[in-house]
Amino acid sequence: KTIELKQGWNLLGVSQDSSIQDTDNIIDDIYMYINKEYELIDSILMMAHEGYMVYCNQNGYIEILSANSSSGT
């Protein structure tokens, strides 16, 4: 699924385990709320029903790929 993100902070969440495909390199940082604080993560994998704060250096698009989809659709 294609998602439009704006420059600056964006809040993302997914209903099933997924990964992010950022072909335009618009994402600088991804934070996840863990143990009552936001922690910088170095993974493009997103767990279902968790919230992620994503900082983008410009407006653009990313693809959210389902972890259980072999074709990425």
Side-chain angles (χ1 to χ4, degrees):
K1 180 175 184 176
T2 302
I3 302 292
E4 180 180 12
L5 299 178
K6 300 293 184 183
Q7 182 177 14
W9 290 104
N10 297 266
L11 178 62
L12 290 181
V14 292
S15 60
Q16 59 184 331
D17 292 348
S18 302
S19 64
I20 297 172
Q21 185 175 30
D22 179 21
T23 56
D24 294 331
N25 296 313
I26 65 169
I27 295 176
D28 282 345
D29 294 315
I30 302 175
Y31 288 83
M32 182 181 178
Y33 193 71
I34 304 171
N35 300 323
K36 300 183 182 178
E37 65 183 24
Y38 285 97
E39 293 186 16
L40 182 64
I41 61 172
D42 59 1
S43 174
I44 60 167
L45 299 177
M46 296 173 44
M47 293 186 294
H49 311 293
E50 299 290 341
Y52 296 87
M53 294 295 297
V54 179
Y55 188 83
C56 297
N57 54 44
Q58 63 185 351
N59 294 341
Y61 297 88
I62 62 168
E63 293 288 326
I64 302 293
L65 307 173
S66 171
N68 59 8
S69 172
S70 61
S71 65
T73 57

